[in-house]
């Protein structure tokens, strides 16, 4: 039986933004935390979720702040006006 290990998906980045906090966005936040990343998690909805101490929640708009990489949730359509500001 082989053993698998996970690699850091963004090794050059320590501050990562996650846009969209549906199931996949929340999972991305948790995975990035396992790799020691500082995460800015944002969603256009005004939601209140607990994602861990490594996550800064910015609800009510999509905001990448000072992140050097962005993970876009598959449920977020960049063509929608609320996702373009």
């Amino acid at each position: 039986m082989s053993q698998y290990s996970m690699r850091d998906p963004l090794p050059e980045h320590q501050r990562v933004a996650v846009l969209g906090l549906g199931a996949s966005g929340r999972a991305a936040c948790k995975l990035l935390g396992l790799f020691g990343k500082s995460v800015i998690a944002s969603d256009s909805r005004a939601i209140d979720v607990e994602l861990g101490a490594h996550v800064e929640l910015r609800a009510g708009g999509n905001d990448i702040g000072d992140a050097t990489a962005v993970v876009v949730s598959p449920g977020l359509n960049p063509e929608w006006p609320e996702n373009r500001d």
Side-chain angles (χ1 to χ4, degrees):
M1 180 144 315
S2 63
Q3 187 174 16
Y4 296 96
S5 63
M6 295 175 50
R7 292 189 321 236
D8 185 342
L10 300 166
E12 303 85 24
H13 303 278
Q14 281 307 114
R15 184 98 161 131
V16 180
V18 175
L19 302 182
L21 295 176
S24 59
R26 290 190 307 268
C29 289
K30 292 177 183 180
L31 177 64
L32 291 165
L34 292 174
F35 289 106
K37 308 294 184 187
S38 172
V39 179
I40 298 170
S42 68
D43 195 288
S44 60
R45 299 170 292 158
I47 60 173
D48 184 22
V49 294
E50 177 56 44
L51 298 168
H54 65 283
V55 178
E56 176 185 341
L57 179 61
R58 297 185 183 180
N62 286 314
D63 182 6
I64 65 168
D66 62 347
T68 59
V70 178
V71 174
V72 180
S73 177
L76 189 143
N77 184 338
E79 297 302 317
W80 293 341
E82 64 269 22
N83 296 326
R84 298 180 69 86
D85 49 337

